Structure formats: C-alpha cells, structure tokens
Amino acid sequence: GARSDIRDGYYQFSNHRIADYFELRFKVRAGDFGVTEVYDPETDGPIPVKPNDLVWPVVEAMPMGWSWALHVCTDALEHVVRITGTGRDLARERCEAPLMTVAEPVCSVYVDNINVHGINSESCDRRHEVIIAALEARGFSLHEITQASQHHKQLGVCFDGVARVLRHGPRRLWRVHLALRCLLRMGGARPRVVRVLTGHLVHIFSIARPLLS
C-alpha cells in the first residue's frame, strides 16, 4: 500500500462564505490590519471599508472543531479520487467493497489521509501519483508521501503483505492494555470512561470478529 497526507488538512480549505459563523468576539479597526475590503454574505462579494471602520475578525479556514469539518474534508478528497479513476476503486463506509485486481488498486480516504492498496506495487504507485497530481493542481500541499510497500499502516492498523496478516500497532495495544490494568486496579470508573474504553476494545476486536462474542 501507498499513502499520503494533506498537510494541516482542515486549514487548506477556504470557508469564506460561512466564515461569519466563526467570528471572533471583538472588533478591530480595519486600518490597523491593512484591511480595505471585507466579504459581504448578502451580496456574496467584497465591499470596501475605511481605515477607521470597525470589523469583526473571522476564521476563513475550516475550523477543526466544526462538526461538519470531517465530512467536508473527507468528501472533497473522495471527489478527487473518484474523478481521477474509474469511479469503482473507492472503498467507502457502508458501501459495497470494490474489487482489487493486479491492474486496479483500491483507494480509501479518511479525513486528510489518502491510502492506495494494491496487489501490484507499480499500479499502486501509478494510481497514487495521479491522485497526488490532481490534489496539487488544486492547490493542496501534501506531506508524508510513501511509495507502495508490503508493510503499510493505516489509522493504527498494520497490513503485512509478506505474512498476509492484518494487526493493530503495538502502541495502540499497549495503551488499551495499560488502561484495562488501571481500571482493574481502581476497581471501577465513571460511565463515560468505561464507554470510551469499550469503544477502543470494539475497534481492536473488529479485525477478529469472534472476539466480540
């Protein structure tokens, strides 16, 4: 598999049409910041301001804490993957799994991470390069770009192409192991803590479904 990551993904999106939802709770003089015009949502365009006019600073980038930020980022990257390929090679949640062949790898997106899984390293790298070129042409900056390898990590899950094994990374397993030992030593915890820990356990056991029963 090959992978790449959008650098500071959320903040590469321009959100000016709804930026007034994310305004800071104070006013500043336009002249103090060299502002000569501001965006007006009513006209969907800029309007001039004078140096002494008071304006509200806003966050034009997509705030990470916005509840729709994850959806917008994922949907945008999935759109690029779809239009640069056959449209049949994108793995999505609650959708039929695409068929992986020697010539056609399978792509997946999670927020600002792009992953390409393939049987053949050449076709995998070729598909990955097409996606990267399309993203860069749209102004995105990427980092952590890796070429196809038989050892691939995605969201803490490790794919071992040599041993043909799918497993969780040691860091995640040790973290949950220590949390369980701490819970046993304390003799209990608040429901919210138990709920979070149960979520981690379900995620870990999901790659070996019999463990859930």
Side-chain angles (χ1 to χ4, degrees):
R3 69 178 299 273
S4 55
D5 185 75
I6 303 294
R7 190 188 306 272
D8 299 324
Y10 292 107
Y11 302 110
Q12 292 197 48
F13 286 85
S14 175
N15 212 26
H16 69 273
R17 282 192 171 88
I18 57 172
D20 55 334
Y21 284 96
F22 310 109
E23 66 182 30
L24 305 183
R25 296 182 178 274
F26 58 85
K27 299 178 183 179
V28 298
R29 289 196 324 142
D32 292 343
F33 293 87
V35 175
T36 58
E37 61 181 26
V38 296
Y39 174 76
D40 180 18
E42 294 184 2
T43 62
D44 192 24
I47 57 173
V49 292
K50 299 176 182 178
N52 288 326
D53 286 345
L54 295 176
V55 296
W56 282 271
V58 298
V59 179
E60 184 177 343
M62 188 164 57
M64 186 181 294
W66 184 36
S67 58
W68 282 93
L70 186 147
H71 167 76
V72 171
C73 192
T74 301
D75 191 62
L77 297 191
E78 286 184 344
H79 173 71
V80 173
V81 172
R82 279 194 298 268
I83 64 174
T84 56
T86 62
R88 304 187 304 270
D89 63 350
L90 178 61
R92 302 188 68 206
E93 187 178 10
R94 299 180 182 177
C95 293
E96 182 180 353
L99 177 64
M100 181 185 295
T101 66
V102 174
E104 188 172 17
V106 170
C107 308
S108 64
V109 171
Y110 180 74
V111 193
D112 55 359
N113 295 293
I114 303 102
N115 296 274
V116 182
H117 309 274
I119 300 172
N120 180 281
S121 60
E122 287 78 12
S123 63
C124 191
D125 282 333
R126 188 163 54 248
R127 181 71 177 99
H128 192 209
E129 289 168 2
V130 170
I131 296 172
I132 291 174
L135 289 168
E136 291 179 337
R138 287 161 173 78
F140 286 101
S141 173
L142 293 88
H143 69 151
E144 297 182 3
I145 300 173
T146 61
Q147 291 185 317
S149 169
Q150 291 185 321
H151 299 276
H152 179 70
K153 180 182 287 188
Q154 179 179 347
L155 301 175
V157 178
C158 304
F159 298 82
D160 188 335
V162 178
R164 298 184 179 183
V165 171
L166 176 67
R167 64 177 184 272
H168 291 283
R171 180 178 178 182
R172 171 175 290 165
L173 294 176
W174 271 109
R175 186 168 53 192
V176 174
H177 172 72
L178 293 174
L180 288 171
R181 290 189 60 181
C182 181
L183 183 64
L184 292 173
R185 187 168 60 251
M186 293 170 57
R190 290 176 297 176
R192 181 179 179 182
V193 175
V194 176
R195 185 165 62 248
V196 171
L197 184 55
T198 302
H200 284 288
L201 290 171
V202 169
H203 177 66
I204 288 174
F205 294 159
S206 292
I207 63 174
R209 293 302 177 92
L211 295 175
L212 292 171
S213 60

